[in-house]
Amino acid sequence: LQPDIIGFQEVWMAIEQANLILEAVEGEPYQIFVTPKQAHHGVEGIAIASRLPASGFESLDLPGGERVSQRIVLDVDGKTVCFANTHLHHRPEENESERLPQMQALLAWLDEVDTPTILTGDMNTIPSRETIQITKPKFTSAYAQVHGKEPDFTFPAPVAEDQYPDHHVMIDYIFITSETLRATSAHLVGDKAHGTNPKLSPSDHMGIVADIEVL
C-alpha cells in the first residue's frame, strides 16, 4: 500500500515491532515515533510512522491510566497538518466511564493545535456511543465521508475470528477535521485471509486506509 503515514496500535516494545515491520517495506524509509502505554513501559505501545517531513513529536497520558496518545506535525506540500494516534481503553465494555474522559482529554489536547488534524486509532467503542459522538463538532470519519456510513465491522479480522465469532464491531477510525481536510477514498485492509491460510491476517483488527487532501 505504501502509505505516507501510519498509526499503529499494540506494538510490542521488546522486539521494536514497529521498526521490524517497516524495515521490511521497500522504498523510502519511515520516521518512527513510539509511545509506551502507561503502566506497560517496555511491553506495549502505540506508534506513528511517517514518510512525510515530521517534527514536534509529543505524547499525552490519558486519564484512568494505561493509555496514551501521540501527535506529530507534518509538512504536506508546504502545508502544516497535525497527525495524532491513540488506543482507548477496552474496559469496561458495557459503558463509557473510561473511554469518554480519555476522548475528552484527547480532544482538548488537539484543540491546542490550530491546524488541520488527522486522528487515528482503536477507540474500542462503536459509532453510536458518546465517546465517538463528541468528536463530531470538529471531526468527521474519513470512511463515512466517502461511503456515507461506517464499515459493518473492523474487528475481528480473520486471525481472531475463532476467538470472537459473535462479536463483530466497528471500533477503528480515521477522523479528519471536517472544515480543513477531505477524504477522497477509503477502504478496509487486512479484511481477507492471506494466500491459502484461511486464518492468517496481519492483525486481529482490520485496518482503514484513506486518501486525504488538505483544503
Side-chain angles (χ1 to χ4, degrees):
L1 294 166
Q2 300 292 334
D4 294 315
I5 189 158
I6 310 168
F8 285 112
Q9 293 78 45
E10 296 185 350
V11 295
W12 206 241
M13 304 292 293
I15 61 170
E16 298 185 348
Q17 189 180 34
N19 298 69
L20 284 178
I21 292 168
L22 295 168
E23 284 169 4
V25 177
E26 295 180 357
E28 185 180 346
Y30 288 89
Q31 286 179 270
I32 304 170
F33 305 88
V34 179
T35 304
K37 288 184 180 177
Q38 297 182 67
H40 296 283
H41 282 224
V43 179
E44 185 187 311
I46 61 175
I48 295 172
S50 178
R51 280 178 166 164
L52 298 170
S55 60
F57 172 56
E58 296 179 276
S59 298
L60 175 70
D61 288 344
L62 297 177
E66 296 194 16
R67 303 303 169 120
V68 294
S69 296
Q70 51 182 184
R71 69 186 183 195
I72 57 175
V73 177
L74 301 173
D75 182 342
V76 183
D77 297 326
K79 298 178 180 178
T80 299
V81 174
C82 173
F83 185 93
N85 183 46
T86 197
H87 183 188
L88 302 186
H89 211 304
H90 63 293
R91 293 177 180 163
E93 277 191 45
E94 63 273 9
N95 64 63
E96 302 298 279
S97 59
E98 287 283 349
R99 288 178 291 275
L100 181 58
Q102 288 178 349
M103 182 62 87
Q104 288 169 330
L106 172 54
L107 293 176
W109 189 52
L110 295 179
D111 276 344
E112 299 172 2
V113 182
D114 185 21
T115 189
T117 300
I118 301 166
L119 169 61
T120 63
D122 172 3
M123 307 304 176
N124 267 313
T125 194
I126 61 176
S128 60
R129 293 280 186 92
E130 188 178 2
T131 297
I132 303 304
Q133 290 297 309
I134 65 168
T135 68
K136 291 193 171 181
K138 183 174 180 178
F139 290 92
T140 190
S141 160
Y143 190 98
Q145 185 176 69
V146 171
H147 298 279
K149 65 181 186 66
E150 299 289 7
D152 293 336
F153 63 96
T154 57
F155 177 86
V159 73
E161 183 71 47
D162 287 349
Q163 285 180 277
Y164 304 94
D166 301 313
H167 188 64
H168 292 73
V169 286
M170 165 58 197
I171 56 178
D172 302 278
Y173 303 84
I174 299 174
F175 291 123
I176 57 177
T177 43
S178 50
E179 294 184 358
T180 53
L181 298 170
R182 178 171 59 206
T184 57
S185 70
H187 63 279
L188 296 179
V189 294
D191 54 332
K192 295 182 174 59
H194 175 75
T196 58
N197 186 337
K199 306 295 184 190
L200 183 60
S201 52
S203 170
D204 58 340
H205 290 239
M206 301 173 191
I208 301 176
V209 175
D211 291 311
I212 297 166
E213 65 179 11
V214 185
L215 299 178

